[in-house]
Amino acid sequence: MAVATRGARGGSTFRGLFSFRIFISAMFSLLFVATLSVLFTTNPSTSNDESDLPTTGNAYVHRTFLALKSDPLRTRVDLIHQQAKDHIALVNAYGAYARKLKLDISKQLKTFDELARNFSDIASKPAYKKSLFESDGPIDEDVLRQFEKEVKDRVKIARMIIVEAKENYDNQLKIQKLKDTIFAVHESLAKAKKNGAMASLISARSIPKSLHCLAMRLMGEKISDPEKYRDEEPKPEFEDPTLYHYAIFSDNVIAVSVVVRSVVKNAEEPWKHVFHIVANRMNVGAMKVWFKMRPIEGGAFLEVKAVEEFTFLNSSYVPILRQLEWAKMNQRPESATNDANIKNAKSLSMLDHLRFYLPEMYPKLYKILLLDDDVVVQKDLTGLWKIDFDGKVNGAVEICFGSFHRYAHYMNFSHPLIKESFNPKACAWAYGMNLFNLDAWRREKCTDNYHYWQNMNEDQTLWKAGTLPPGLITFYSTTKSLDKSWHVLGLGYNPSISMVEINNAAVIHYNGNMKPWLDIALNQYKNLWTKYVDNDMEFVQMCNFGL
């Protein structure tokens, strides 16, 4: 019994284990069938950025699944299909990159778009669509070869264009970065130029310590011995029209002395030359002491006067004086250092506008040569008085070339009054060395003409500042053009003037901010000025000009 009982229990256990294994096998079979059912009944998900090449849900999965067993060409179709999709994405990416850079390559953009369409159009052809993508039967290998050939041809073209485009994009990107760098450098350069111009302007308009020292020393000399520097009686030569007369209007003692010394040293008959120097009341004493201590060589004549001695120059008669008084009354303290105000301070100076009153200042003279204080004379100038002026008033060297330094450069031709009265292409000339026929001046009433235009420009709408624009207007059509060798300009700003041109010039002009008596002077031209400085004068040595 006992044995039978154990056998019965063992048999039950074996049967239970066998039944459990059958149950597990059945469950796995059901799961396998369910998985297959899902694969054949569920649509595969597609991403939004897929290309337009045909991928139909059940049919595509069904073909792919069956191809593993039935048709190996299906795998080849799928590979070609994927290669086409990849190149469509690549072409579209380069097209988008080109649009982002906004490059001027519309031809390439069009090519990229056509390539993308061509890839999509291949699969859309009825022959390929029916035989390769919609049919569940065997694939025709000839059709597949033709399809593959067309895809590969387009792939080859796409790769060639992409290689070319990549190099182009890289270069364009470098060019764009270079342009950005150049733009930034230009911005910095413009800012530096503006600051430099402002600093140069302040330096040019300011009085250097050495000049201030010289003026103070000269005034101290006058105060210490007033009898020695008493004014002399006017000499008859000052009004003799048969002599060669010069007008120099300046407060700069050493600059005026250089002009006078350079004229006299290069004159063939210096005793026939007469200099009329006019300074402001503050500096006229120092100017007189200088020429008392250092008389002119060669017997030339010289007189020094203050602007205030010409009593007819008052605000009721002179427009610029009236405008100067108005500017002083209306100038705000916070704008005193403004760039425009610094420039206007010189342009509104009566000393600069004396050139428009020469016939009234020297009524007994026929001709007079106006010299700026920043010129150096290198040759005898008496030949100027022998030039036939053909009835013209002003003899000057024209400075225009091409479209530069025409009247349009100095005046506002959008103003109807200027537009109606002058030719914008008329050639401008230079101040600095101007021989004026005073008889013709009086006949043409040039001073009245100057007054009219200066009054019209009270609000500075006709021209901004300076004495050259009103001079161009006043002597319009009454200027005699002189040979350029008489007057060479630019030594105060242009470092590229030919030394041959400079050596052949009768007068060289340091117009610009880099005056030869300043530390900012152009070194290559400075010796042409310093050789006429009276270095033996004790005050020049004491004031440490550093020349």
Side-chain angles (χ1 to χ4, degrees):
M1 286 294 293
V3 175
T5 302
R6 283 195 302 269
R9 289 179 180 174
S12 287
T13 302
F14 179 77
R15 284 194 300 271
L17 181 60
F18 181 76
S19 300
F20 178 75
R21 288 179 177 175
I22 293 174
F23 174 76
I24 293 299
S25 298
M27 290 300 294
F28 273 112
S29 299
L30 289 173
L31 286 173
F32 179 74
V33 172
T35 302
L36 291 179
S37 177
V38 169
L39 287 174
F40 288 110
T41 57
T42 305
N43 290 333
S45 61
T46 57
S47 61
N48 292 331
D49 58 350
E50 294 261 319
S51 85
D52 291 332
L53 286 176
T55 55
T56 57
N58 294 342
Y60 179 78
V61 174
H62 187 58
R63 287 198 310 272
T64 303
F65 181 77
L66 294 179
L68 297 174
K69 295 182 178 181
S70 61
D71 193 348
L73 295 180
R74 293 289 180 186
T75 304
R76 192 170 163 190
V77 171
D78 291 338
L79 291 175
I80 298 171
H81 167 266
Q82 186 61 43
Q83 188 179 28
K85 283 197 338 182
D86 292 343
H87 281 79
I88 289 174
L90 191 60
V91 167
N92 287 333
Y94 270 91
Y97 184 53
R99 291 186 185 91
K100 183 179 179 181
L101 287 179
K102 298 180 179 178
L103 303 176
D104 187 17
I105 49 173
S106 58
K107 185 177 179 180
Q108 284 192 4
L109 288 175
K110 186 177 179 181
T111 304
F112 286 140
D113 290 339
E114 289 179 355
L115 279 173
R117 283 196 300 270
N118 288 343
F119 276 119
S120 300
D121 291 345
I122 293 174
S124 300
K125 288 183 178 180
Y128 298 147
K129 190 173 182 181
K130 183 176 180 181
S131 299
L132 302 178
F133 300 106
E134 294 181 353
S135 173
D136 292 334
I139 292 177
D140 187 338
E141 191 169 356
D142 292 336
V143 175
L144 177 58
R145 279 202 202 93
Q146 184 64 29
F147 174 69
E148 184 178 20
K149 183 178 181 303
E150 291 193 31
V151 170
K152 286 186 175 180
D153 288 344
R154 282 162 176 74
V155 167
K156 185 177 179 181
I157 294 171
R159 286 178 177 173
M160 290 174 59
I161 293 175
I162 287 170
V163 168
E164 180 183 350
K166 184 177 183 300
E167 182 179 355
N168 187 37
Y169 293 158
D170 289 344
N171 290 337
Q172 289 290 344
L173 194 58
K174 291 175 184 176
I175 291 170
Q176 188 61 43
K177 287 181 179 179
L178 184 60
K179 284 182 178 179
D180 293 341
T181 303
I182 292 172
F183 178 78
V185 170
H186 274 301
E187 288 287 304
S188 300
L189 180 61
K191 187 176 180 180
K193 280 185 176 180
K194 184 177 180 181
N195 293 337
M198 185 64 179
S200 178
L201 188 62
I202 292 172
S203 176
R205 298 290 183 262
S206 302
I207 300 175
K209 183 179 179 181
S210 54
L211 281 180
H212 180 73
C213 168
L214 181 61
M216 293 300 101
R217 294 280 184 180
L218 292 169
M219 288 304 297
E221 178 71 14
K222 181 177 182 179
I223 293 170
S224 66
D225 193 354
E227 290 298 324
K228 182 179 178 180
Y229 300 103
R230 189 180 298 275
D231 291 342
E232 298 177 353
E233 291 295 323
K235 296 179 181 180
E237 287 82 4
F238 295 161
E239 297 181 343
D240 186 351
T242 63
L243 301 178
Y244 305 114
H245 292 264
Y246 300 82
I248 307 172
F249 306 140
S250 174
D251 286 331
N252 190 327
V253 177
I254 198 164
V256 171
S257 72
V258 166
V259 176
V260 173
R261 280 170 62 89
S262 65
V263 172
V264 172
K265 283 185 175 293
N266 291 287
E268 295 177 0
E269 300 174 311
W271 58 88
K272 291 185 178 181
H273 296 261
V274 182
F275 298 91
H276 305 270
I277 299 171
V278 181
N280 282 326
R281 181 184 298 170
M282 183 182 297
N283 296 283
V284 69
M287 197 78 72
K288 289 179 178 180
V289 172
W290 173 281
F291 287 106
K292 279 277 189 177
M293 294 181 69
R294 313 298 294 179
I296 305 178
E297 300 173 358
F301 302 92
L302 182 142
E303 68 166 346
V304 180
K305 286 187 174 183
V307 176
E308 291 74 14
E309 294 182 49
F310 299 94
T311 55
F312 70 91
L313 296 173
N314 53 67
S315 57
S316 62
Y317 176 64
V318 179
I320 195 66
L321 283 177
R322 186 167 59 253
Q323 294 170 16
L324 182 60
E325 291 176 0
W326 182 88
K328 286 181 178 178
M329 289 188 297
N330 292 274
Q331 184 176 1
R332 297 179 180 178
E334 63 270 17
S335 64
T337 58
N338 184 277
D339 187 8
N341 288 332
I342 293 174
K343 291 180 180 179
N344 289 340
K346 188 174 189 299
S347 66
L348 290 176
S349 170
M350 189 59 220
L351 211 56
D352 292 296
H353 286 261
L354 286 178
R355 64 193 63 194
F356 295 104
Y357 300 95
L358 289 169
E360 296 163 278
M361 295 171 68
Y362 309 105
K364 294 186 179 180
L365 301 182
Y366 304 150
K367 289 183 178 181
I368 193 167
L369 181 65
L370 175 70
L371 293 176
D372 282 353
D373 63 358
D374 55 353
V375 305
V376 170
V377 177
Q378 301 186 125
K379 296 181 180 180
D380 182 65
L381 298 181
T382 54
L384 284 169
W385 276 265
K386 300 174 184 178
I387 295 175
D388 185 3
F389 269 43
D390 301 320
K392 303 288 187 179
V393 177
N394 172 33
V397 171
E398 293 183 338
I399 56 175
C400 62
F401 56 96
S403 61
F404 296 98
H405 296 297
R406 302 283 176 175
Y407 268 52
H409 181 73
Y410 299 96
M411 287 168 274
N412 178 20
F413 274 85
S414 63
H415 194 288
L417 192 59
I418 293 291
K419 187 176 181 180
E420 293 170 4
S421 305
F422 305 100
N423 178 6
K425 295 182 180 179
C427 189
W429 42 266
Y431 269 130
M433 189 214 70
N434 304 80
L435 184 63
F436 290 103
N437 185 335
L438 300 183
D439 285 341
W441 185 316
R442 297 179 185 105
R443 184 184 67 248
E444 297 292 336
K445 298 181 179 180
C446 292
T447 301
D448 293 339
N449 189 30
Y450 161 70
H451 282 174
Y452 168 78
W453 287 102
Q454 192 67 51
N455 283 323
M456 295 300 296
N457 192 48
E458 189 167 0
D459 56 357
Q460 294 193 353
T461 56
L462 305 185
W463 67 87
K464 287 299 180 187
T467 55
L468 183 55
L472 295 174
I473 289 175
T474 301
F475 303 111
Y476 181 65
S477 74
T478 63
T479 296
K480 170 75 173 181
S481 178
L482 302 178
D483 187 272
K484 293 185 183 298
S485 63
W486 281 110
H487 186 193
V488 171
L489 297 97
L491 279 73
Y493 68 89
N494 184 2
S496 304
I497 304 174
S498 166
M499 289 306 299
V500 174
E501 185 180 3
I502 290 174
N503 292 332
N504 290 334
V507 176
I508 55 175
H509 193 173
Y510 291 82
N511 59 312
N513 291 329
M514 300 178 184
K515 303 300 183 186
W517 55 85
L518 299 176
D519 291 337
I520 60 174
L522 294 169
N523 290 328
Q524 64 265 44
Y525 307 138
K526 196 167 184 177
N527 68 303
L528 300 172
W529 184 84
T530 56
K531 69 180 181 180
Y532 291 106
V533 175
D534 190 353
N535 291 301
D536 295 331
M537 206 279 186
E538 57 180 316
F539 293 154
V540 172
Q541 298 174 8
M542 292 172 64
C543 290
N544 191 26
F545 269 85
L547 301 173

